[in-house]
Amino acid sequence: MRRLRFIRRPVALGLLLAAMLTTVPLPAKDLGVRGTTWPIAEPDLLDALTARLEALRDTGAFERWNAAASARARAFLETPPRVPGLVPATEDRTRRFDPTLTIARTVVTPDGTVLARAGARVNPLDHVVLTRPLLLVDGTRAAEVAWALRYPTPATLVLVAGPPLALARTHRRPVFFDQGGAIARRFRIRATPSVVTQEATWLRITEVALDDSAGDRPKDGR
């Protein structure tokens, strides 16, 4: 019986305290105000931005900023950043490249049709044809530009450095740029100029060594 009373006493005490806290109001005291206080006044974000924009216009700062941004964008389009890691070819070299891809995740159309399942291997050349050779050229080397312009068959000119728009205007033909080095990275190109052509389900990639002192002539004189 003693053990039973020992167990019940804490429970009864807890119930008593809970009843006191819920029924007896706690006293409150006004401690007054200490320090400086300000009314809460948060400005409207749209109004603040509008006022800031008007101030920039009044001082001419907005026009200067807009002109500078336009100049930077124009400079980027005229001369994009060079694709890093590429060097002039020092010898003629040809290799084959297998463009087969491994699908990382299942590709499904909006109506639920499965186009390709994860893990499948797909060769794009089974479905598309490279109708023209790709010429990857350093547009800052006159020898490479001259070689590309005199290429014996119609080809797509892709710069890895240099001014694509200026060359397009001068020679009146489309000139593209390998933005971010996507093409060079995909085909593992390390030297320019390089020619990419299709052979059945493979790609043939040829590096051509040029002699800068001899204009656009290859080093072997051909």
Side-chain angles (χ1 to χ4, degrees):
M1 295 298 292
R2 289 180 180 177
R3 182 176 179 82
L4 182 60
R5 285 196 297 272
F6 178 77
I7 294 174
R8 288 180 176 177
R9 282 178 183 175
V11 176
L13 181 59
L15 293 174
L16 179 60
L17 290 175
M20 292 176 63
L21 291 175
T22 55
T23 58
V24 179
L26 296 178
K29 184 178 180 180
D30 187 355
L31 299 178
V33 177
R34 294 175 179 241
T36 305
T37 61
W38 292 270
I40 299 175
E42 182 176 343
D44 182 83
L45 179 59
L46 183 59
D47 291 341
L49 292 176
T50 301
R52 176 61 176 165
L53 181 59
E54 290 177 352
L56 291 175
R57 285 177 175 172
D58 292 340
T59 61
F62 179 79
E63 286 73 14
R64 292 192 297 271
W65 175 85
N66 191 38
S70 299
R72 288 193 299 269
R74 184 68 182 180
F76 181 87
L77 292 176
E78 289 286 351
T79 309
R82 171 187 290 271
V83 176
L86 301 182
V87 298
T90 57
E91 61 179 351
D92 293 348
R93 184 172 58 179
T94 299
R95 59 185 172 87
R96 298 177 76 191
F97 179 81
D98 182 3
T100 300
L101 301 170
T102 300
I103 304 301
R105 56 184 179 182
T106 300
V107 180
V108 183
T109 61
D111 63 0
T113 302
V114 176
L115 297 180
R117 297 191 178 278
R121 291 176 59 79
V122 177
N123 187 335
L125 297 181
D126 289 332
H127 310 281
V128 297
V129 176
L130 184 63
T131 58
R132 291 187 174 192
L134 296 180
L135 308 182
L136 276 84
V137 171
D138 183 343
T140 64
R141 292 184 67 203
E144 294 193 26
V145 174
W147 170 85
L149 293 174
R150 297 182 183 180
Y151 196 76
T153 62
T156 301
L157 178 54
V158 182
L159 299 189
V160 298
L165 297 183
L167 291 176
R169 289 191 295 263
T170 300
H171 302 289
R172 299 181 181 274
R173 61 171 293 178
V175 179
F176 301 93
F177 197 94
D178 186 12
Q179 293 283 359
I183 297 175
R185 186 168 55 251
R186 175 71 181 97
F187 298 148
R188 301 172 190 170
I189 292 173
R190 296 291 178 266
T192 59
S194 285
V195 185
V196 181
T197 55
Q198 180 177 349
E199 291 185 355
T201 57
W202 292 78
L203 293 175
R204 177 179 290 275
I205 300 176
T206 303
E207 298 175 4
V208 180
L210 299 177
D211 187 352
D212 285 311
S213 62
D216 63 335
R217 292 203 304 272
K219 286 186 176 182
D220 60 6
R222 290 180 296 174

